[in-house]
Amino acid sequence: MTPAFDVVLVGGGGAGLRAAIALAEASQRLRIAVVSKVYPMRSHTVSAEGGAAGVISPDDSLDEHCYDTISGGDWLGDQDAIEAFVREAPQELLRLEHWGCPWSREADGRVAVRPFGGMRKMRTWFAADKTGFHMLHTLFQTSLKYTTVVRYDEWFVTKFLVDDGRVQGVIALELATGRIEAITARAVIVCTGGCGKVFPFTTNAAIKTGDGMALAYRAGAPLKDMEFVQYHPTGLPFTGILITEAARSEGGYLINKDGYRYLQDYALGTPQPKPVLRTMELGPRDRLSQAFMKELDKGRTTDTPYGPVVFLDLRHLGEQLINRRLPFVRELCMKYQNIDPVKELIPVRPVVHYMMGGVHTDINGATPLPGLYAAGEVACVSINGANRLGSNSLPELLVFGARAGRAAADYVAGAKDPGTTVVAQLQDEQRRLEADLLQQRGRERIADIRQEMQLTVEESAGIYRTGASLIRSAAKLRELQERARDFRIEDDSRTFNTERIAALELSFMLDVAEAIVTSALRREESRGAHQRTDFPLRDDQRYLAHSLVQRQPDGSCRVDYLPVTITRWPPAERVYGEAPSDERSHYVARGAIPSGEGV
């Protein structure tokens, strides 16, 4: 008997759980399934450290948060979506408070906030430096009270069921048994996160292989703004583990091999008469990663066996502050780098962190494909534009997870039951998986193709890009697509066959990699995280638009463009100037800078 639900959620992280809760709140009669390839508490949301942005201080405003997000995204974000996001983010964070999220507090009991890169005001809520961990625990525990939510833990979705022009469920493989099953529904919400493992060096967990993006793409939904890939400026050089931006928001310095705070040499906008806070450690992530590359070109980085690095200096913050505000940073450094940031410098380098692009949705998470919704990093609504500001991603999970859940609840109230082709589609997928995965004895090794793909994408679609390198990369990815059809599966078991899952993930990553490279090749300008050295200027005349990648019947990509929604903030120069007084006093109070001086 095929399991039948009203809504299937693919992904059990922050966005998926928030959507499930919204669905359960909308109606007690809705049958809801959460299908996740890992146990929900192992979802990548758990690794987010720094905080979640939401206006709460009396000297802050929704308009200021809007403007920071719009300008930080280099005017590529849709302003109607940004206004909705900024308005609803504080409400969602307060709701988490009521559900039990242990936000850090000031001495007088107020929710503590810290400054974050690219933001003019202190508006980032945090729970020490384990914010995602506590948020995910809160959402998971809250979801347990709804008996209408059924979980499929450690099930891997291989295909969306599409009939009569609408999505009607999924086909999934149970990792423990190898069983393949159709799970039908009137609507599907995809919340599988990003695709950082397309690149060789990333903060992302091994599970972040672009599954949801590729599944939606193959089903007929377009991918939007895939050329915009965010590098975080402070990853550990061997593992890629993230050293949160909170380390810099608490007053950490970035220095080169000479001990020099090199960011003062780079005006992240209009040149300033003296170094100031927002043009230094708390500049936006794209600009800081680009500054690292310039230091590398000047020979000012330090070579290591795992690539060139600069250093993050927290020593002046003192052991007490680090233990109270940054305990996880200290733990990570000691366990994975064998250094103590209380006494030693932390080696760091830019590392792939986040996808601004994803499945194209409207402001309520609906894709152009009826019955399919998306939320979180897998989706592009778009609030992040060409560069996401740190601490906007966690509230994005909440705001648009809830919106997608409510929209799906409204949709299924009038939707038909799934059609009669489900059994035939299940049988076709079972045959494909048996032939492609259990009986495949080709010549190519999965790991070899994956490594070549990662290096190809890194060399062409990294921090800086050129047309010539992108053309070469596109040709190489087509070659790898062909070679991937001749891979070898050596494990013929059905129980926890990780080789079979790796093959499925590789096929998804190859589709996503092609979308990234094709979109980057077509965008002949530099904007945010997309920097073309052969087109160094932003071109609003031609490219104040979202790229939409559509899969063609022959498997190739077609790129179209969609205008950016502008409401109240016309495009302007992206300028970072003097730090506001409240942000400066945050540093002075912690001894990170002398009173009255810039940083």
Side-chain angles (χ1 to χ4, degrees):
M1 185 71 177
T2 300
F5 294 89
D6 292 297
V7 182
V8 169
L9 293 117
V10 184
L17 292 175
R18 183 65 188 94
I21 293 167
L23 284 160
E25 289 176 333
S27 172
Q28 296 179 356
R29 292 181 293 181
L30 287 176
R31 298 157 299 168
I32 305 157
V34 177
V35 184
S36 175
K37 73 176 178 180
V38 295
Y39 186 71
M41 283 309 303
R42 293 185 61 227
S43 299
H44 194 59
T45 307
V46 78
S47 67
E49 300 169 34
V55 173
I56 190 172
S57 301
D59 60 348
D60 197 3
S61 70
L62 299 180
D63 277 3
E64 286 178 286
H65 192 182
C66 281
Y67 182 80
D68 288 349
T69 300
I70 292 163
S71 61
D74 226 346
W75 270 268
L76 199 73
D78 287 325
Q79 294 179 16
D80 56 342
I82 292 170
E83 290 188 76
F85 161 70
V86 165
R87 182 175 63 251
E88 295 171 23
Q91 301 166 18
E92 288 291 332
L93 297 177
L94 284 171
R95 187 172 286 114
L96 274 190
E97 157 88 2
H98 298 156
W99 289 344
C101 187
W103 299 116
S104 293
R105 299 281 177 174
E106 298 292 357
D108 61 3
R110 291 178 301 161
V111 171
V113 289
R114 58 175 36 136
F116 245 62
M119 294 194 182
R120 293 176 295 172
K121 292 292 177 69
M122 291 169 57
R123 63 172 68 99
T124 296
W125 305 37
F126 59 96
D129 57 354
K130 298 183 180 180
T131 309
F133 173 88
H134 289 297
M135 284 180 59
L136 191 61
H137 269 266
T138 302
L139 290 166
F140 181 63
Q141 290 164 3
T142 302
S143 74
L144 294 178
K145 71 179 182 180
Y146 296 104
T147 58
T148 53
V149 177
V150 177
R151 294 208 323 270
Y152 287 75
D153 296 343
E154 297 185 330
W155 284 71
F156 187 90
V157 173
T158 67
K159 184 179 180 180
F160 290 161
L161 293 166
V162 182
D163 186 38
D164 192 28
R166 59 193 176 96
V167 175
Q168 302 184 13
V170 305
I171 295 176
L173 183 155
E174 186 179 30
L175 303 186
T177 65
R179 179 162 55 108
I180 302 166
E181 198 165 272
I183 305 172
T184 61
R186 296 180 180 183
V188 170
I189 307 177
V190 58
C191 306
T192 54
C195 60
K197 294 303 288 185
V198 168
F199 290 80
F201 188 62
T202 176
T203 65
N204 289 188
I207 59 174
K208 301 262 297 230
T209 50
D211 309 345
M213 295 177 184
L215 286 165
Y217 181 58
R218 293 176 181 184
L223 301 180
K224 182 164 68 181
D225 292 343
M226 292 297 289
E227 60 268 43
F228 296 102
V229 180
Q230 181 170 87
Y231 279 72
H232 196 289
T234 56
L236 293 179
F238 171 51
T239 59
I241 289 173
L242 176 69
I243 298 300
T244 173
E245 194 162 309
R248 287 174 281 126
S249 82
E250 294 296 338
Y253 302 155
L254 281 171
I255 60 177
N256 62 20
K257 71 176 185 180
D258 302 318
Y260 176 64
R261 292 181 67 190
Y262 61 88
L263 289 170
Q264 62 190 293
D265 293 349
Y266 302 98
L268 307 185
T270 301
Q272 302 295 323
K274 62 177 181 177
V276 294
L277 181 67
R278 297 186 71 245
T279 58
M280 290 188 64
E281 279 80 6
L282 284 188
R285 291 171 177 176
D286 57 339
R287 300 285 179 85
L288 265 63
S289 296
Q290 292 155 24
F292 171 90
M293 296 301 293
K294 292 172 182 175
E295 288 295 291
L296 175 63
D297 291 343
K298 295 172 183 176
R300 296 176 179 173
T301 58
T302 299
D303 291 330
T304 75
Y306 309 107
V309 300
V310 290
F311 298 96
L312 179 62
D313 188 358
L314 307 183
R315 296 172 299 179
H316 55 284
L317 300 182
E319 185 171 9
Q320 183 178 0
L321 185 145
I322 291 172
N323 286 342
R324 187 175 75 254
R325 298 271 187 157
L326 304 168
F328 195 43
V329 166
R330 190 179 188 189
E331 180 182 340
L332 290 172
C333 290
M334 294 177 77
K335 285 186 174 180
Y336 292 96
Q337 207 68 37
N338 197 29
I339 61 172
D340 185 350
V342 172
K343 306 171 184 175
E344 300 169 274
L345 298 173
I346 307 170
V348 292
R349 54 171 285 198
V351 53
V352 168
H353 182 59
Y354 189 88
M355 287 296 300
M356 272 69 76
V359 182
H360 172 41
T361 76
D362 68 11
I363 197 170
N364 292 312
T367 75
L369 190 58
L372 181 62
Y373 297 79
E377 190 179 353
V378 72
C380 182
V381 59
S382 145
I383 66 162
N384 297 310
N387 172 66
R388 177 177 69 80
L389 293 188
S391 75
N392 267 353
S393 62
L394 287 178
E396 180 186 3
L397 300 177
L398 302 173
V399 170
F400 293 102
R403 278 179 165 256
R406 291 190 292 265
D410 290 341
Y411 172 83
V412 301
K416 300 177 185 176
D417 286 331
T420 58
T421 68
V422 170
V423 174
Q425 290 190 53
L426 174 60
Q427 291 171 344
D428 288 345
E429 185 69 355
Q430 286 174 327
R431 282 192 294 268
R432 181 183 79 87
L433 295 178
E434 292 283 336
D436 287 359
L437 299 179
L438 286 184
Q439 301 169 19
Q440 183 78 309
R441 298 293 184 269
R443 296 168 295 179
E444 298 283 353
R445 293 181 68 249
I446 295 168
D448 291 341
I449 297 175
R450 182 175 58 228
Q451 183 179 44
E452 287 188 51
M453 172 202 68
Q454 291 172 332
L455 293 175
T456 297
V457 177
E458 176 78 19
E459 290 169 2
S460 65
I463 295 173
Y464 286 101
R465 297 106 180 256
T466 68
S469 67
L470 289 164
I471 290 170
R472 289 194 301 270
S473 180
K476 180 65 175 180
L477 289 173
R478 285 192 293 271
E479 174 200 318
L480 293 175
Q481 290 271 18
E482 290 297 319
R483 287 171 52 191
R485 296 174 184 171
D486 190 34
F487 61 79
R488 179 169 68 254
I489 295 285
E490 297 174 345
D491 184 353
D492 59 4
S493 69
R494 296 178 184 273
T495 301
F496 289 110
N497 189 328
T498 56
E499 193 175 18
R500 177 155 71 161
I501 299 305
L504 289 166
E505 290 174 333
L506 174 63
S507 70
F508 290 153
M509 286 192 286
L510 284 168
D511 279 358
V512 171
E514 185 177 24
I516 292 170
V517 169
T518 303
S519 300
L521 178 60
R522 298 293 176 84
R523 185 175 288 274
E524 295 178 338
E525 67 160 355
S526 289
R527 184 188 299 268
H530 173 71
Q531 293 292 309
R532 286 281 299 265
T533 57
D534 46 350
F535 294 95
L537 300 179
R538 194 178 89 184
D539 186 351
D540 288 346
Q541 191 70 30
R542 298 173 62 201
Y543 292 109
L544 187 63
H546 302 293
S547 61
L548 291 179
V549 181
Q550 195 92 33
R551 185 182 174 91
Q552 299 302 289
D554 63 358
S556 63
C557 297
R558 187 187 80 231
V559 180
D560 298 310
Y561 289 92
L562 179 72
V564 172
T565 300
I566 305 292
T567 58
R568 295 189 286 139
W569 293 274
E573 184 184 1
R574 192 176 163 206
V575 174
Y576 293 93
E578 186 68 51
S581 58
D582 64 324
E583 194 173 327
R584 186 181 305 282
S585 64
H586 173 86
Y587 283 82
V588 173
R590 285 158 179 77
I593 60 174
S595 178
E597 292 187 14
V599 182

